[in-house]
Amino acid sequence: MATTQDPAPPATERELRQRVVIRFAGDSGDGMQLAGARFTDASAAFGNDLATLPDFPAEIRAPAGTLPGVSAFQIHIAGSDILTPGDEPDVLVAMNPAALKKNLGDLKPGGVIILNTDSFEERNLAKAGYDTNPIEDGTLDGFNVLTAPMDELTKEAVKDSGVTGRAVLRSKNFFALGALAWMFDRPSDTTLDWLADKFASQPEVVAANTAAFKAGYNFGITTEAFAHTTFEVPKADLPVGEYTNVVGNQTIAWGLIAGAQAAHLPLFYASYPITPASDILHELARHKNFGVRTFQAEDEIASVGIALGAAFAGHLAVTGTSGPGLALKSETMSLALMAELPMVIVDVQRGGPSTGLPTKTEQSDLMMAIYGRHGEAPLPVIAAASPGDAFETAIEACRIAVKYMTPVILLSDGYIGTSSEPWLLPDTSALPSFPAAFATEINHDDGFMPYLRDPESLSRPWAVPGTAGLEHRVGGLEKDQLTGNVSYEPANHEKMTLLREQKTQAVANDIPDIEVGEDSDAELLVVGWGSTYSAIKAGVLNSRTTGHKVAHIHLRHLNPFPPNLADVLAGYNKVLVPELNRGQLSRLLRAEFLVPTTSFSKMQGQPFMAGEIEAKIIETLGA
């Protein structure tokens, strides 16, 4: 029986590029996040290094065709090690006029624009604020413009798939993806296999999207402008090992599982759905085989209370949230501090106070994490630097919580949580082990003393309810420093306040000295934390290639700081602190170490670009 095959690609000479930045942009209903994610997986399968930046509206469904409704996904693919999702796109896929208008200013001069011409009709042009058609009025002069009537061609491609009505046009993102797969020589099997698996119960959807993808691929082959605009990005020479493409929320979930395994404890995760932290719950719910228990609570306060109850019962307890959820959890976090029970609070930060910018990134919760509780309530605070680093940081949060019997705040943000990168799978046999030690015996001549402390860590014993002879009280009222009974004695309260502070500071005994990256004899030290790592690192490296003497340190531990941080800071006359906030770490460094710092703030809901860091370094050096 004869079979129909796609036409073989004609011989073509592809333009060799070591790195390319591509941005998919369209209406929030155009499937740009899905198209970008599929292109990302195909690029990972091909062997490129990559970094991504999803950018979507805060509204569930912003007005179609308007600038606020534009959703975008940027991916930087390279044949060498890269750090950031790129500053400026080389290629822009614009599915409608609003997507073009919102993103055109970011495109490199001479860059490639791929347009869905079917959407450039009068009504959509007006919604985007165009008085004339930019395809015709010279707006796009200086760019390499490729056009395709994607709506019409998608309808034709999927007409026999079984999908009908308005659902037909849902496949046009796969038409665009197919054209990009041709232009960049991406493997098709990665996408088609994913489609077959994802929509196995909806064969008509598989057929429609597959047909649209192949139509886009074949359009690239047969259309002269597309056929002569092709690129080759070679495989990256990465360290040998097995890789997988990960996003930060996923690696946090995996790190929590690994931390629970290292502590020999069951993992209990309770949260309330909130952008952009919800995917941690989704990922953990898939791993019951590791003894993970997940609970979706009715609100933020309930979720942290349930997690604290799990900690009391002997579980590694975790709760996750973002922005306003951290504020709602603060009272129970203080209760966990007073009861001295181990718990991890994951805060995937987002922009602004109140509801703010739910889908945009920011680092504005640092002060809240360190000081945002009533009374004297110090807690260890650590921050992940990248999607890959989030795995190790989550394990570290678990270790601190178990060893020091304390709540620990783990800071991530929307950029880390939703962006992706290739991740070298770790050797599980080399992962740390820190088994939790439960109290099983009476520890004092006068009976069990729940606040008799370990002399090194100052942690109290963890006695699981129901252990014979170890009955004790926990609660929010101040405790006697030994018996745990309620105490209003002034001297005892002061003693307990100091002990809780000293216990948090004792965590510094386990923190490795900070290592100075690049030039230790530099004139300028750039200090960062959290998701600014990739942009700072790239900006510093770019600055050094042009002869500027600059060094870089990046802090994982923010409370307490690494023990040698004071000495490192004292070695530089100029200290630059880039942050996605109004200079919160800069203020902490000034207060703690009395060093002059230059704060570099950005509050636009977007991560730093490497070029911004490089320009600020040069400005600060006075070059």
Side-chain angles (χ1 to χ4, degrees), residues 490-537:
N492 178 79
H493 173 58
E494 182 168 278
K495 176 68 173 178
M496 289 294 282
T497 300
L498 293 174
L499 278 170
R500 289 188 287 264
E501 179 182 332
Q502 291 162 6
K503 184 172 73 168
T504 297
Q505 291 303 315
V507 175
N509 297 330
D510 288 346
I511 299 175
D513 283 347
I514 196 75
E515 295 184 5
V516 179
E518 291 75 51
D519 186 356
S520 60
D521 297 323
E523 301 170 21
L524 170 68
L525 177 67
V526 184
V527 182
W529 69 277
S531 67
T532 56
Y533 172 78
S534 59
I536 292 176
K537 183 78 170 180

Side-chain angles (χ1 to χ4, degrees), residues 125-277:
L125 291 170
K127 285 183 179 180
Y130 281 118
D131 296 323
T132 58
N133 192 332
I135 301 176
E136 303 168 351
D137 64 8
T139 298
L140 305 183
D141 290 352
F143 297 102
N144 182 5
V145 181
L146 308 178
T147 61
M150 295 188 194
D151 291 10
E152 177 186 343
L153 294 174
T154 299
K155 289 178 182 178
E156 178 65 22
V158 307
K159 64 181 181 181
D160 297 324
S161 65
V163 172
T164 59
R166 298 178 64 181
V168 166
L169 288 181
R170 291 178 184 168
S171 296
K172 66 184 176 183
N173 59 333
F174 278 90
F175 182 96
L177 183 60
L180 264 291
W182 155 250
M183 290 176 62
F184 287 93
D185 196 22
R186 302 293 92 176
S188 297
D189 289 349
T190 304
T191 300
L192 299 181
D193 290 347
W194 178 87
L195 276 171
D197 180 65
K198 178 70 175 178
F199 299 105
S201 62
Q202 300 172 280
E204 70 283 2
V205 175
V206 176
N209 287 332
T210 299
F213 179 87
K214 291 182 177 180
Y217 193 92
N218 293 336
F219 185 83
I221 294 173
T222 57
T223 305
E224 184 176 359
F226 276 81
H228 290 88
T229 308
T230 58
F231 304 93
E232 177 186 352
V233 181
K235 295 181 180 180
D237 185 16
L238 299 173
V240 175
E242 186 175 355
Y243 286 81
T244 187
N245 193 46
V246 295
V247 298
N249 281 342
Q250 185 180 40
T251 48
I252 285 177
W254 293 354
L256 294 172
I257 294 171
Q261 295 290 306
H264 298 181
L265 294 173
L267 175 63
F268 184 90
Y269 185 87
S271 72
Y272 176 73
I274 186 168
T275 301

Side-chain angles (χ1 to χ4, degrees), residues 540-557:
V540 167
L541 292 175
N542 292 344
S543 300
R544 286 178 51 76
T545 60
T546 54
H548 297 93
K549 295 181 70 63
V550 57
H552 170 217
I553 61 172
H554 212 77
L555 302 177
R556 171 182 285 177
H557 296 86

